Amino acid sequence: EVGRVLNMMGLCCERSRNFEQALEHFQKAKTAFGDNHKDVGHAENNIGRIRRKMRDWEEALKCHERALDIIGENDPEVGAVLHDMGDLHKDMGNHEPALECYNRAL
């Protein structure tokens, strides 16, 4: 429960564009989730999304890739990770990888 609350706090900070505070909450959420890998994957994806908004492209991509590894390609919620990864590639001007991610998200 603590991890989910921290994750929600991070989402609130993200919406108010307080990215540093959002990162802090998402990192704490990962720790609080412990071995609940799926939730750790979602927190990792959230960190990647914040890194993208901060234009830290390389770290954002690493976060999204870790999230994919944790959540797994066959999980019904993997579409959110692939969508965020597509947004990252689009922002970087990599249109073919972006389209590939969006198609995989369908």
Side-chain angles (χ1 to χ4, degrees), residues 41-101:
H42 291 298
E44 192 70 48
N45 187 61
N46 291 339
I47 291 168
R49 195 175 53 251
I50 296 298
R51 292 288 183 196
R52 175 179 61 85
K53 291 178 179 181
M54 297 172 76
R55 299 189 180 278
D56 185 357
W57 313 122
E58 187 175 313
E59 188 58 34
L61 185 57
K62 289 177 187 176
C63 291
H64 291 311
E65 289 171 346
R66 282 192 297 266
L68 276 178
D69 287 342
I70 294 167
I71 293 171
E73 290 278 342
N74 296 321
D75 190 280
E77 296 179 23
V78 74
V81 178
L82 291 166
H83 179 266
D84 287 342
M85 190 179 264
D87 287 348
L88 170 64
H89 283 295
K90 178 180 59 84
D91 289 354
M92 293 170 59
N94 300 332
H95 301 291
E96 288 302 317
L99 285 172
E100 181 182 324
C101 288

Side-chain angles (χ1 to χ4, degrees), residues 4-14 21-22 25-26:
R4 288 195 174 113
V5 171
L6 288 164
N7 198 56
M8 293 306 296
M9 292 170 70
L11 292 171
C12 288
C13 290
E14 177 183 3
Q21 191 70 40
H25 288 302
F26 292 140

Side-chain angles (χ1 to χ4, degrees), residues 19-34:
F19 299 140
E20 292 295 333
Q21 191 70 40
L23 282 176
E24 186 176 317
H25 288 302
F26 292 140
Q27 290 289 357
K28 288 179 180 178
K30 277 178 41 178
T31 301
F33 287 136

